[in-house]
Amino acid sequence: MAPRPNSAPAKKKGLPKTGPRATPIVKKLMQASSIRTRVRLQNKLPISDGGQSHPVQSSPTSPALVLQQARAKRKRSRDAEAETDKPKDERPSKQLRRSPRRRLKPPEETLPKYAEAEAEFDKPADPSEQPQDPPLLSEKDSRSLQSVFQEVTSSAASNSLKRAASNRSRASSETGTSSTNINAFYRRKNLAAVKIRLHANPPDDVETTIKDIINTKPLQQRQAELHVIAQGFRDGCLKHVRAQSGEDDFLAPLYQAIGALCLDNLCIHEKAAWREELKPVIRQQLHYSSSFMAGIQQLEVRDASADDASVHDTSIPPRKRQQKPAKQKSANGNYISPESSMVNTSTPPASDVQDPSPMPPPAPVPEKEEDRSPVKTPHPDLLMGLDLEALITALSVQGLEKDDATEFIEWLQDEMVQHELDRPLEPMLLVVPAPRALDLAFPFAVVEGKAYSTGKQIFEAENQAAVSMACALNLLHCLDRIANRGTSPDTPPRVLFAITTQGPIHELWAYWTVVKSGVRVFESKLWDSWNVLVLERAEDFMVKLNSVCLWGTGPFLNSVAEPLGKVARNAREATAQ
């Protein structure tokens, strides 16, 4: 059977007729709809001046082209069904797939009528009404925007750094304030408890002794040497001030200057801790007692009983009411009834009668020295004292051979005695007071420094130096007491010195002891202060330091060796008896 021509495709046999019968008007409307759909799916049909449309070729791989072909096939099938007027009586149970049809060319007469409508429908809208991409910035505007962004970013970063710096400053300020409060409390409570007092006025004999030591004028040649040493000392301090160095760096120029003095018999050590036995302790005060409070409580009980009796009827003897006073604490911390500490107006029962004069429990003996002293064990930055070999040599003048003097010093430190009734057994005399400085004996000066670039204050250095010198004065007092067998001969007062620093600021302190109301008090006074960045002040400080060191290695050495020789003779006599 020959195929039908393409211009008039026939409907397949067996396909049912669907929908109403196609009239010419319906055909025209359907054709116009088909044309509009095809035009929309394509990349627009531009209309030429002659009124004819020229389809634009799209890419074969475009999804719009695939969709367009599928719709065209379905449309051609519907057009073919509309052209067939003959109904079919057969209705198959299952509708068959329609075969694809060729693309139909729209009739020429319908194209001009609907082309204008289609062109108007597909005409692009007003550019102002459609969403458009933002215009590109010019190069000038772009640079301006970038500069503004950089200013905002840098401003935010600057504000962040300022806030961080402010927080650090506030934290350091709070830390410094807390440290200052702790140091002030330590001086007011702990140092005062062991009778250490700063900024005191020395007695006349003490002041005279201090002036004789410090105001010694060096020889002319020695003055020239001290000028050179002071110049190097000033330059070293200035270098560390500019570098904002730490505490140890600031103390290094002072150590070098002391070493440049080239003094014999002088021994110095850094960070040498003192023996705890030399620390001052709290003395028990027996001048005051709270026992008079029992009498006040007794009077209050009598007054309360009299008031209760006056309220009742006088014909009936009033019953005495015993007011129960507040409980009191015993020495061991337990609460006890008031009957054991006061006498009541009524006679207590026999079971409650106690000893009217109980013996107080003995005071416990502390196991450690730190339990009896509220001050810290000093670790001075620089400990200055006598060279042990120089002391042994000086003892030979007192009638001791070198070997005997060495053995005698070791015996003094090993022999355990009880210096006072309320103290434990301790070495007889700690000639060498620092376990980490076994070649240093009888310190006469210390150096405590703080670097002001780290925020530490000289106030703390003064506290530390005061405790160190109290230990040294305790050692000298023990020597004099043993040598004089408990008596107080008419001898020059003991004075010692300390240097406290805060960066380039240097202070010279003098220390001594006085006895007030049977208690030994450690007193001190700020003698002078220098800022060594000024060359003239640095030279004057070096002259004073030289005078203190010359006194320590000379007269002070003799003042120590003489009582030591007396102790050695007393010990030998005791052995012979």
Side-chain angles (χ1 to χ4, degrees):
M1 181 176 180
R4 294 183 181 183
N6 296 336
S7 60
K11 186 179 179 182
K12 282 189 176 183
K13 184 178 181 179
L15 292 177
K17 176 182 174 183
T18 60
R21 184 174 181 177
T23 62
I25 297 176
V26 173
K27 287 182 180 181
K28 290 181 179 181
L29 293 175
M30 295 176 64
Q31 290 175 358
S33 176
S34 175
I35 292 172
R36 185 182 294 109
T37 303
R38 288 197 302 272
V39 171
R40 183 180 294 111
L41 292 177
Q42 293 178 356
N43 294 333
K44 296 184 180 180
L45 289 173
I47 301 176
S48 63
D49 297 339
Q52 295 182 359
S53 60
H54 302 280
V56 179
Q57 297 296 332
S58 61
S59 175
T61 60
S62 173
L65 181 59
V66 177
L67 182 61
Q68 175 186 352
Q69 293 177 358
R71 291 183 177 179
K73 290 180 182 180
R74 290 195 297 270
K75 188 63 179 178
R76 284 196 298 270
S77 299
R78 287 195 297 270
D79 293 342
E81 291 175 1
E83 292 177 359
T84 305
D85 296 335
K86 185 178 179 180
K88 297 293 181 178
D89 296 336
E90 290 180 324
R91 297 183 65 86
S93 59
K94 186 176 181 180
Q95 186 177 3
L96 300 178
R97 176 182 292 181
R98 299 169 184 174
S99 60
R101 302 297 180 183
R102 290 186 179 184
R103 178 179 177 181
L104 297 178
K105 184 177 180 180
E108 295 293 337
E109 63 273 12
T110 61
L111 183 59
K113 182 176 180 180
Y114 298 102
E116 295 179 359
E118 185 68 24
E120 183 69 20
F121 178 81
D122 293 331
K123 183 179 180 180
D126 189 1
S128 62
E129 298 178 358
Q130 292 183 354
Q132 300 180 1
D133 295 335
L136 298 177
L137 296 175
S138 63
E139 184 177 357
K140 181 179 180 181
D141 295 339
S142 178
R143 287 196 301 269
S144 301
L145 183 60
Q146 290 179 1
S147 62
V148 171
F149 177 75
Q150 291 177 358
E151 290 179 0
V152 173
T153 305
S154 61
S155 176
S158 177
N159 293 335
S160 176
L161 291 175
K162 289 180 180 179
R163 287 193 298 270
S166 177
N167 294 336
R168 288 193 299 268
S169 177
R170 183 165 56 253
S172 62
S173 176
E174 293 175 357
T175 303
T177 303
S178 175
S179 176
T180 302
N181 293 337
I182 292 174
N183 294 328
F185 181 84
Y186 181 75
R187 177 179 294 188
R188 186 176 67 254
K189 293 296 184 180
N190 298 55
L191 298 188
V194 294
K195 304 302 179 182
I196 295 179
R197 299 175 182 176
L198 286 78
H199 300 288
N201 294 321
D204 295 338
D205 56 344
V206 173
E207 185 173 6
T208 301
T209 303
I210 295 173
K211 289 181 179 179
D212 293 342
I213 296 172
I214 294 179
N215 296 332
T216 302
K217 296 295 184 181
L219 299 177
Q220 186 176 0
Q221 182 179 359
R222 184 62 173 176
Q223 183 70 39
E225 296 175 356
L226 294 177
H227 175 76
V228 175
I229 296 174
Q231 204 167 21
F233 174 56
R234 190 279 310 265
D235 295 341
C237 290
L238 182 60
K239 173 185 176 182
H240 291 300
V241 168
R242 291 172 176 171
Q244 299 182 3
S245 303
E247 176 180 318
D248 294 339
D249 293 332
F250 266 109
L251 291 174
L254 180 58
Y255 298 165
Q256 296 173 1
I258 295 175
L261 295 176
C262 300
L263 297 175
D264 297 333
N265 306 331
L266 178 64
C267 183
I268 58 176
H269 274 279
E270 300 179 20
K271 311 294 184 182
W274 289 79
R275 294 280 295 264
E276 292 185 357
E277 295 87 345
L278 294 173
K279 292 194 302 183
V281 297
I282 300 177
R283 302 296 178 180
Q284 295 183 359
Q285 297 291 338
L286 303 178
H287 307 294
Y288 307 99
S289 175
S290 61
S291 60
F292 69 96
M293 293 296 295
I296 296 177
Q297 294 177 357
Q298 183 177 358
L299 293 176
E300 291 177 352
V301 171
R302 290 178 179 177
D303 294 340
S305 301
D307 293 341
D308 292 342
S310 62
V311 176
H312 294 82
D313 188 3
T314 56
S315 60
I316 302 175
R319 182 179 180 182
K320 288 187 178 182
R321 183 183 65 182
Q322 295 182 359
Q323 182 179 357
K324 187 177 182 180
K327 292 182 179 181
Q328 300 177 355
K329 277 187 177 181
S330 63
N332 55 6
N334 299 327
Y335 286 95
I336 60 175
S337 60
E339 288 79 9
S340 61
S341 59
M342 56 179 282
V343 179
N344 295 325
T345 55
S346 60
T347 304
S351 59
D352 295 335
V353 176
Q354 298 182 3
D355 188 1
S357 59
M359 294 297 294
V365 178
E367 297 181 358
K368 296 182 180 180
E369 187 67 25
E370 59 185 6
D371 298 335
R372 308 174 65 249
S373 180
V375 297
K376 302 175 184 177
T377 302
H379 297 71
D381 291 326
L382 189 66
L383 188 63
M384 305 170 62
L386 301 175
D387 185 78
L388 184 59
E389 293 296 329
L391 179 60
I392 294 175
T393 303
L395 286 176
S396 61
V397 181
Q398 304 297 326
L400 292 176
E401 298 293 336
K402 185 175 182 180
D403 294 339
D404 295 339
T406 303
E407 183 180 356
F408 170 66
I409 292 176
E410 293 179 355
W411 174 78
L412 288 175
Q413 298 184 108
D414 295 338
E415 185 70 14
M416 304 298 291
V417 298
Q418 188 176 16
H419 292 280
E420 299 179 12
L421 296 178
D422 59 341
R423 301 197 64 167
L425 294 177
E426 297 172 343
M428 186 173 182
L429 185 64
L430 291 172
V431 179
V432 179
R436 300 293 182 180
L438 298 180
D439 57 342
L440 188 149
F442 291 103
F444 60 86
V446 296
V447 175
E448 290 284 1
K450 303 296 174 186
Y452 66 171
S453 57
T454 61
K456 293 294 186 67
Q457 296 184 356
I458 201 170
F459 190 93
E460 183 180 359
E462 293 170 358
N463 290 347
Q464 296 171 347
V467 178
S468 292
M469 290 295 94
C471 295
L473 290 170
N474 266 338
L475 178 58
L476 295 177
H477 171 68
C478 182
L479 171 62
D480 295 336
R481 188 174 60 84
I482 296 174
N484 300 320
R485 298 186 178 184
T487 61
S488 299
D490 188 9
T491 57
R494 294 288 190 180
V495 294
L496 298 175
F497 299 92
I499 298 172
T500 58
T501 71
Q502 184 180 0
I505 301 173
H506 290 61
E507 297 178 344
L508 179 62
W509 288 76
Y511 301 86
W512 65 92
T513 62
V514 293
V515 178
K516 297 180 179 180
S517 301
V519 178
R520 185 169 298 276
V521 181
F522 305 92
E523 295 183 342
S524 60
K525 179 183 178 180
L526 175 62
W527 200 260
D528 206 343
S529 178
W530 301 267
N531 190 324
V532 297
L533 295 183
V534 181
L535 182 58
E536 292 78 7
R537 299 298 294 162
E539 185 174 357
D540 184 65
F541 167 75
M542 199 56 57
V543 170
K544 298 296 191 296
L545 178 61
N546 178 71
S547 300
V548 171
C549 293
L550 286 176
W551 165 82
T553 56
F556 177 75
L557 172 60
N558 297 330
S559 67
V560 169
E562 183 178 353
L564 273 180
K566 186 183 296 186
V567 173
R569 290 190 294 270
N570 294 336
R572 285 183 176 179
E573 293 176 0
T575 305
Q577 292 179 358

